Amino acid sequence: VQGELLELLFEIQIKENGLLIDKRRNLTTEQKKELIEISHKILEVSHNPEKYGLNIRGRNADVAGFEVDDRGDIEFKRLFEAKSGKFLGRRALKQLSINGFRSAMSTTVNTINKLEDAEQRGLNGLGVNGRKLKIAEGGIKQTLCLCRDLAPNHPDPKENSQRINNLIGKELSVEEKKELRKILNEIDFLESPFSHEELRNMAIEL
């Protein structure tokens, strides 16, 4: 429940802060709604490919940020993943590595683009005859969404370094810790207005 609650809160925060769709384009409310639905559908394909008769391996992130070009094609620029726990272990390392979320998103995008029967599979407006899906030039960026007291967004670099060290799970090997620390120093973080304790208390009340 705690993890699902954090995902929901962050999705609202991402939308409210204008991080979901690139702000540079003038889109109507209806256009935004349509595009957000498409984005959700693409992530759903990755999470549950069998539902669409597809064979795609690898789970995608919770939320995908994108922009739309003049032709109406969708370019994915950023993946957002919420973590409610205090520590990041092997699962997080696998997800954030080069063969994790970013690879799954590329595979999903390429698979959908090649579909000649997208509509029959419930993927209206996509596939060979629909909007083209793209990955941003230079690669898709990653943002890890964490509770307020865990996110390394502190103005003091020493405090940030300590927070990153505190996030790394003790069960990881020395090499795994080194790899995860490198990843965490390269990605972005989005901070929840709620602390880990506040989130836990809210989840208990649900």
Side-chain angles (χ1 to χ4, degrees):
V1 175
Q2 190 169 319
E4 291 172 359
L5 176 60
L6 187 65
E7 285 177 24
L8 177 60
L9 291 171
F10 267 122
E11 185 163 355
I12 294 169
Q13 186 177 344
I14 289 164
K15 286 179 184 175
E16 290 297 314
N17 291 341
L19 301 174
L20 188 60
I21 306 176
D22 194 286
K23 296 182 197 174
R24 291 173 297 179
R25 297 199 62 79
N26 251 333
L27 299 172
T28 66
T29 302
E30 281 304 309
Q31 285 173 322
K32 287 179 182 178
K33 184 180 177 183
E34 179 194 358
L35 290 165
I36 289 170
E37 286 176 359
I38 290 173
S39 174
H40 284 167
K41 183 80 74 174
I42 290 160
L43 291 176
E44 188 185 359
V45 168
S46 180
H47 294 155
N48 189 12
E50 295 83 9
K51 178 181 175 182
Y52 299 93
L54 298 172
N55 182 22
I56 300 174
R57 293 184 180 181
R59 182 186 175 277
N60 227 315
D62 295 322
V63 180
F66 58 90
E67 69 176 24
V68 186
D69 65 19
D70 294 331
R71 293 176 297 184
D73 295 340
I74 299 173
E75 183 178 275
F76 290 99
K77 302 176 74 69
R78 185 174 294 275
L79 297 173
F80 298 86
E81 176 71 7
K83 294 292 183 186
S84 61
K86 287 188 173 183
F87 305 105
L88 302 175
R90 287 192 179 90
R91 184 167 180 261
L93 173 58
K94 184 177 180 181
Q95 290 171 335
L96 296 171
S97 69
I98 192 67
N99 294 318
F101 289 142
R102 288 170 291 179
S103 175
M105 191 63 174
S106 293
T107 301
T108 303
V109 162
N110 291 334
T111 300
I112 293 174
N113 280 339
K114 293 174 183 175
L115 292 176
E116 296 182 359
D117 57 349
E119 231 171 272
Q120 289 92 319
R121 294 174 186 265
L123 298 170
N124 298 343
L126 299 174
V128 172
N129 299 313
R131 291 179 186 267
K132 292 296 169 283
L133 308 176
K134 305 173 183 176
I135 298 297
E137 191 176 340
I140 196 163
K141 297 184 183 299
Q142 298 185 105
T143 295
L144 196 59
C145 307
L146 299 171
C147 292
R148 183 183 68 230
D149 51 333
L150 303 178
N153 282 342
H154 199 277
D156 182 355
K158 287 184 179 178
E159 174 67 21
N160 269 344
S161 180
Q162 186 57 53
R163 287 193 180 192
I164 285 177
N165 287 336
N166 292 343
L167 282 171
I168 297 173
K170 292 179 173 60
E171 79 276 12
L172 298 179
S173 68
V174 173
E175 282 304 309
E176 287 172 330
K177 287 178 180 178
K178 183 179 177 182
E179 184 182 353
L180 182 55
R181 188 177 290 107
K182 183 176 183 295
I183 291 171
L184 295 177
N185 276 304
E186 292 172 347
I187 66 174
D188 298 317
F189 294 91
L190 183 61
E191 182 179 308
S192 168
F194 305 102
S195 69
H196 186 268
E197 184 68 16
E198 288 167 343
L199 180 72
R200 189 181 70 83
N201 290 336
M202 283 191 290
I204 289 171
E205 293 297 321
L206 292 176

